[in-house]
Amino acid sequence: MNRLIRWTAAFGAAVLLPLGPASVASAAPAVATTSARTADRLVEVPAAEAFEQAVDPSECGGPTLLDGYFDQQVQALAESGDLAFVAAHQDALFSVPTYDALFFGTAGDPDYALDTHAAQITNTFRDLRRFWDIESGDIQLMEMNGESLLDADRIARTLTLMVELGEIAPLTPEQIQTEATTVATYMQSHGDLYDNPLWTLNAFAFTAEGETDPLIKDLPDKLIMGKGIIEAYDAFGLGDVGPRAIMAHEFAHHVQFELGAFDDGPTDPAAATRRTELMADAMATYYATHKKGLALNAKRVTDALLSFYTVGDCVFDSPGHHGTPVQRQRAADWGADLAAAARPRSMVLPAADVIALFEDALPGIISGS
Ligand SMILES: [Zn+2]
């Protein structure tokens, strides 16, 4: 089945917490209870999965910058005394800002206006539309932030749709109302907890093309930047490059949508995801390092891209598999090399040509030979 959301996680499916399970569990026993999240979700919410990993860590991958950042945020929640509440309401906290923007966000609405690095991100978006030769005028750029968590009505309408779409376990209207009121009331009295970067530590591309569900089939194409991921890049000194590299990766997914690249891949879901994710990395570095793109330093772009993921990257058979770090590195290098090889330097290849060249290179990117 077609994924409703072509969602590209800021970081993969299984971020490890150096924090370790014991400290989280002792701070918040409620975390040990089973989440109501269903197994096959429309939208991956990596921070939510990472939060669960804190309780049941896997043995894969090393920590990245983003892992460390995540750890710090969870520690801060423990120290402020909010971790038990967060654990008990993680479905709402980790999902509502994402789904609220997906279902209800529009580019002109101030609730979804870019805040941090707004000019830089808006300019990059405009530049990407010029750089890639696809139809992109209909893509709406917006921010997701935590403000929806202050508003019981916004929480309730989002949870209601999530239940209708089967994104979370069934809840009655009364249960939804209670949860919405509980979360909004708590957030209203706990400073800036509502805007904690954990709730929006991601970015994603969405298209409803091919979808038939009346609840979502008319949603416009979107590119949604999480306020949290932008703040995270600032925190580790990549604020100038990171958000733009991520946006270039997400925009590459829109190029893929437009050119039907999602339809041409392997039938195995894990191999299919790996292919489109590695391709998006390659297209991101092609754009970000190209003289006619951002002309950024290739190593900084690659560092920013790779700090983003580690994730599900050892879960080789997961549909969320993004490729191993070394495969991502090779894909990113490939894109930068392609940009560096442009003759004349200002020559930009049609997107379809970049994709075709990437397909030829993919076996080597995967195998390393
Ligand atoms: Zn992606």
Side-chain angles (χ1 to χ4, degrees):
M1 179 194 127
N2 236 345
R3 296 294 288 176
L4 167 61
I5 263 218
R6 267 67 181 267
W7 150 281
T8 36
F11 61 133
V15 175
L16 290 179
L17 291 182
L19 179 66
S23 50
V24 170
S26 60
V31 105
T33 60
T34 307
S35 164
R37 295 191 302 114
T38 53
D40 184 25
R41 259 168 90 113
L42 223 49
V43 187
E44 291 175 38
V45 180
E49 294 171 14
F51 196 74
E52 293 188 350
Q53 286 288 322
V55 177
D56 183 21
S58 72
E59 291 296 326
C60 161
T64 63
L65 289 171
L66 206 55
D67 298 331
Y69 184 78
F70 181 88
D71 177 29
Q72 285 170 17
Q73 301 303 316
V74 174
Q75 288 281 16
L77 289 174
E79 286 159 17
S80 67
D82 293 314
L83 192 53
F85 184 87
V86 169
H89 299 277
Q90 53 185 291
D91 279 348
L93 298 176
F94 284 103
S95 295
V96 166
T98 293
Y99 284 83
D100 171 81
L102 171 64
F103 295 147
F104 305 108
T106 61
D109 186 333
D111 285 348
Y112 307 92
L114 288 153
D115 177 15
T116 313
H117 295 303
Q120 177 208 70
I121 290 171
T122 305
N123 289 340
T124 302
F125 181 65
R126 194 176 303 133
D127 195 51
L128 278 158
R129 287 171 52 183
R130 173 193 59 76
F131 185 84
W132 292 113
D133 60 341
I134 58 151
E135 274 288 314
S136 56
D138 55 347
I139 303 169
Q140 297 198 20
L141 171 66
M142 66 194 72
E143 177 187 273
M144 59 174 172
N145 55 59
E147 286 170 25
S148 52
L149 296 173
L150 292 168
D151 185 334
D153 290 343
R154 286 178 70 180
I155 296 170
R157 71 178 184 178
T158 301
L159 289 176
T160 298
L161 264 182
M162 289 178 69
V163 168
E164 287 176 13
L165 286 163
E167 290 298 284
I168 48 175
L171 296 167
T172 66
E174 293 71 27
Q175 288 171 320
I176 287 173
Q177 199 54 53
T178 299
E179 177 67 1
T181 304
T182 302
V183 169
T185 302
Y186 191 92
M187 291 296 157
Q188 287 162 13
S189 60
H190 285 76
D192 59 2
L193 181 62
Y194 73 94
D195 219 13
N196 189 289
L198 287 179
W199 319 147
T200 55
L201 202 58
N202 212 340
F204 65 97
F206 170 80
T207 184
E209 195 170 314
E211 296 303 332
T212 54
D213 191 318
L215 294 172
I216 43 125
K217 71 179 175 55
D218 296 326
L219 291 175
D221 285 0
K222 295 185 177 186
L223 198 163
I224 299 180
M225 297 292 290
K227 187 176 178 182
I229 195 68
I230 299 168
E231 291 176 357
Y233 274 106
D234 276 342
F236 35 79
L238 288 167
D240 56 336
V241 175
R244 292 192 284 176
I246 295 318
M247 165 166 287
H249 174 105
E250 300 308 330
F251 197 95
H253 286 313
H254 276 295
V255 176
Q256 294 170 332
F257 299 152
E258 203 63 39
L259 297 180
F262 278 94
D263 306 326
D264 298 337
T267 49
D268 172 60
T273 301
R274 181 179 63 189
R275 166 182 167 271
T276 48
E277 290 304 325
L278 293 175
M279 188 193 296
D281 281 341
M283 293 172 78
T285 53
Y286 180 73
Y287 162 73
T289 64
H290 197 287
K291 179 170 183 274
K292 283 291 185 181
L294 295 175
L296 290 169
N297 175 274
K299 182 172 187 323
R300 278 177 67 73
V301 172
T302 302
D303 284 350
L305 275 178
L306 293 183
S307 66
F308 222 31
Y309 312 84
T310 40
V311 199
D313 295 350
C314 299
V315 189
F316 299 110
D317 57 352
S318 160
H321 179 52
H322 284 61
T324 65
V326 68
Q327 290 167 343
R328 292 184 164 278
Q329 177 78 50
R330 286 194 288 259
D333 289 347
W334 181 89
D337 290 347
L338 186 65
R343 295 292 181 276
R345 301 280 293 162
S346 59
M347 209 268 288
V348 177
L349 292 168
D353 291 4
V354 174
I355 289 174
L357 289 168
F358 177 85
E359 300 278 24
D360 292 342
L362 181 59
I365 288 169
I366 291 172
S367 69
S369 58

